[in-house]
């Protein structure tokens, strides 16, 4: 189940991440704003991982993952709104939420894996989970491009 979660999360995350610059440019934003938004998102991930790990220990694994997923959904809503209303601040607010919501679940998932599976095989189990996330990311990037090329509205 954890492998499936990591795979689906990787797919959803990369489906958005790979197409973000193209989406913003398509909505009329400059390429420099789109690229800087992606850079900001990557930088904010540092703090999202730290926050996710701290929350995982203080409020619990499930609540930390749920909070991260909620922030990610809020990011999607802001990103959609930034496509309707040309406002660079809305884009920056969205990608800050993207960085936080995209990074927060990972520490909680790894800690939950350690809670469930203990012993000498934990590293292999986490490796399988990570591989699921990488496969999901590859499929998500491909699927996102396929949907964009098919002309489906974002």
């Amino acid at each position: 189940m954890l492998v499936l979660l990591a795979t689906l999360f990787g797919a959803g995350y990369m489906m958005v991440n790979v197409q973000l610059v193209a989406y913003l440019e398509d909505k009329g934003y400059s390429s420099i704003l789109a690229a800087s938004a992606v850079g900001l998102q990557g930088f904010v991930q540092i703090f999202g991982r730290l926050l996710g790990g701290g929350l995982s220990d203080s409020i619990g694994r499930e609540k930390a993952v749920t909070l991260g997923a909620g922030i990610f959904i809020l990011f999607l809503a802001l990103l959609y709104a930034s496509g309707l209303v040309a406002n660079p601040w809305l884009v920056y607010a969205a990608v800050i939420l993207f960085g936080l919501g995209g990074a927060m679940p990972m520490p909680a998932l790894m800690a939950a894996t350690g809670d469930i599976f203990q012993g000498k095989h934990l590293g292999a189990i986490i490796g399988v989970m990570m591989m699921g996330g990488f496969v999901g990311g590859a499929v998500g990037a491909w699927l996102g491009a396929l949907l964009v090329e098919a002309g489906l509205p974002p």
Side-chain angles (χ1 to χ4, degrees):
M1 190 57 124
L2 289 171
V3 174
L4 178 63
L5 181 62
T7 303
L8 293 174
F9 182 78
Y13 180 83
M14 290 305 290
M15 188 181 297
V16 174
N17 195 33
V18 170
Q19 300 300 324
L20 186 58
V21 170
Y23 174 80
L24 291 173
E25 288 179 342
D26 186 53
K27 296 300 179 182
Y29 293 99
S30 69
S31 57
I32 191 71
L33 183 135
S36 64
V38 171
L40 176 62
Q41 176 266 338
F43 179 72
V44 171
Q45 275 193 345
I46 297 168
F47 304 101
R49 294 224 193 264
L50 293 171
L51 181 63
L55 287 174
S56 172
D57 290 340
S58 63
I59 66 171
R61 316 292 188 225
E62 295 85 3
K63 289 179 183 174
V65 171
T66 303
L67 183 61
I71 291 172
F72 191 81
I73 291 168
L74 186 56
F75 147 72
L76 292 173
L78 281 179
L79 183 64
Y80 183 74
S82 71
L84 299 174
V85 178
N87 185 338
W89 293 108
L90 198 56
V91 172
Y92 286 122
V95 297
I96 287 170
L97 293 177
F98 186 26
L100 289 174
M104 283 175 60
M106 185 59 75
L109 289 175
M110 295 301 119
T113 304
D115 293 344
I116 296 168
F117 305 101
Q118 299 171 0
K120 65 181 182 177
H121 298 294
L122 178 60
I125 293 167
I126 289 177
V128 169
M129 273 185 59
M130 296 291 290
M131 186 59 88
F134 296 147
V135 169
V139 170
W142 173 80
L143 185 60
L146 184 69
L147 292 172
V148 168
E149 291 299 320
L152 295 175

